[in-house]
Amino acid sequence: MRHIIRSTAIVFALLISLAFAVSLLSDTGTQPKPLAISELAAKVGDGTIRDITVRGDEISATAGDGAAFTAKKEPAVSLFETLVNAGVPKEKIAAVKVEVKDPSSASVLAASILPIILPFLLVLGMFWYMYRQARQGSMQAFSFGKSRVKLAGMNPDDRKITFRDVAGLHEAKEEVREVVEFLRDPAKFHRLGARIPRGILLVGSPGTGKTLLAKAVANEARVPFFYVSGSEFVEMFVGVGANRVRDTFETAKRAAPAIVFVDEVDAIGRARGAGIGGGHDEREQTLNQILVEMDGFDTNDAVIVMAATNRPDILDPALLRPGRFDRRIILDEPSLNDRIEVLTIHSTGKPIAKNVNLRVVAERTPGFSGADLANLINEAAILAARKGQKSISQDNLLESIEKVMLGPERRSHVLSVKEKEVTAHHEAGHAIVAASLPHSDPVHKVSIISRGRAGGYTLKLPSQDKYLKTKSEFEAELAVLLGGYSAEQLVFNELTTGASNDLKVASDLARRMVTQYGMSDAMGPLSYGETHESIFLGRELMHDRTYSEHIAQQIDAEVRAIIDRAVVTAKRIISDKMDTLKVVAQELITKETLEQEQFYALIGQPAPVQASA
Ligand code: ADP
Ligand code: ZN
């Protein structure tokens, strides 16, 4: 209702100003004096009037001294007749210059048409206004279809991320340098007819710095950075995702040169037709739209799409064709030196104690991603603050390693005496098997304090980064994994659910040894794989096996044999060292946590040398 009142008011205001404008137009110069026709006749009679203009019924007259008059005559009677009838002598009339003109168009409009069209205008105006209101409302309802592209890095508060903030990733940085140069001066490349990649696929596990690198490219090139995430598209109604893609690209093209960053592209770009049932129309439409947009780029559109994924293997082949994401940049997990660099970058600007040795921290964090390391520094800072310290100490950092790795300690998770006993023997089992096998990573810490979802934990860390693993190492790892299970069985002659996760990890590893690494003599050096892994839901249901049922049985038997051998190894070690196991378990029950030196002292072995710890 309020809308209608408002709209009516607006229309009225418009009309009033229109009428005002018309009246302004019609009167020009000094205001003429209105006269009765008899008065005008008298003036003509005494010769004051010099000329007369007749426009319809309107008469305007000018006197010899320049004074202007208006008058109205009867319609359908000529001026001459009117004057004669009023008794003006004919020669007097003849002395006046009379001009007859068409009635003025403006006044005709005002006089005759306006009254007719005014109500129409009013009604039309109201309709138009209401329509606009309604349309706006519906646009708001559907505005989630509009892309929520985020323009990152334009916030002046955001510290601009540059290549200097990206640790390691030397090859990746080298490869994107070219992109930076192109974005800085696209014309230079166009002149030479160089084809610049439109799509760059950043491949790397979560937290390796894909977003970070893309942002750095945008900032180095000083171009806007548009962020969209693949997972956002999946939740939407059919068609909305495609709309949003169109919108994002339009915005980017307008801002070109620019970077569009598509995070988690695998959420939309999974191979088409891989799903079960329907329900993937949305993904397909969204994917198609991305392809259309990328193909539709003008050679002059300096828009570069950077997409991130950690599963390039499941991407739709159409995405990887030339002219699309034809360039891949691999972001490796950080090596020791990279880890030192990441730690250094993230600790600058924070109060760090003098005794801190980031190299030691880096040595103890193999397998940590850049994000894990950033998180570690943050956890250490929180820890230092909670303890009321002035700076972050080495202990804070080392303590945070486990927190990041396994989740926070759950001291509130109170174990009963019996549970404590079982957990202690279980963990002691892992630790003793690990310490006894030359191919196993050394034990770093043993604890029965639960962390995250683990009841207790035995931390073993490789003494250096490893890129290749041997069969012996896998076998040792399996024996260690099954050490907890074996200890429970030998000591208590009973099993608990505590070993379930160990068993799962062990089974997965054994299966990979058989089907992927060719580490089973019986199965030979073949890769027994699925043609492609299907999308999440269908995954379990649709293993497109490339092998027969018979082979599947053989694989199962081989996996079983590998696990059995590992259990035999673990049980042999534990039986041999039962006394030591009991000592370690007892110590765990009283102390809860054993550090590396304490543990190795207890079992009477020299502690393994860590590079520089
Ligand atoms: P991804 O996109 O690969 O999942 P991000 O780029 O979002 O990972 O990384 C998350 C955070 O981790 C970054 O904001 C940064 O603080 C840190 N980080 C990751 N890799 C690096 C690196 N190479 N150098 C410095 N910091 C890094
Ligand atoms: Zn275990």
Side-chain angles (χ1 to χ4, degrees), residues 134-146:
R135 216 174 61 131
Q136 250 175 21
S138 70
M139 287 298 281
Q140 266 150 24
F142 283 101
S143 64
F144 56 81
K146 281 268 178 194

Side-chain angles (χ1 to χ4, degrees), residues 194-272:
R195 199 177 65 85
I196 289 297
R198 284 177 190 168
I200 293 169
L201 197 60
L202 300 174
V203 180
S205 4
T208 41
K210 299 182 288 293
T211 317
L212 192 73
L213 185 67
K215 274 190 190 161
V217 169
N219 281 329
E220 291 279 343
R222 290 181 224 98
V223 300
F225 176 84
F226 297 95
Y227 175 95
V228 284
S229 173
S231 57
E232 280 171 38
F233 291 115
V234 179
E235 80 228 20
M236 293 185 297
F237 302 129
V238 172
V240 178
N243 253 338
R244 195 190 278 186
V245 168
R246 199 174 307 128
D247 220 74
T248 306
F249 278 85
E250 241 157 56
T251 317
K253 270 187 231 169
R254 252 178 277 133
I259 285 188
V260 176
F261 181 71
V262 188
D263 207 357
E264 302 174 79
V265 70
D266 42 298
I268 358 169
R270 283 166 189 273
R272 281 170 288 189

Side-chain angles (χ1 to χ4, degrees), residues 426-427 430 481 484 498-499 502:
H426 177 108
E427 296 306 329
H430 284 308
L481 277 167
D502 294 341

Side-chain angles (χ1 to χ4, degrees), residues 426 488 495-502:
H426 177 108
E488 282 187 43
L495 290 169
T496 66
T497 53
S500 69
N501 189 53
D502 294 341

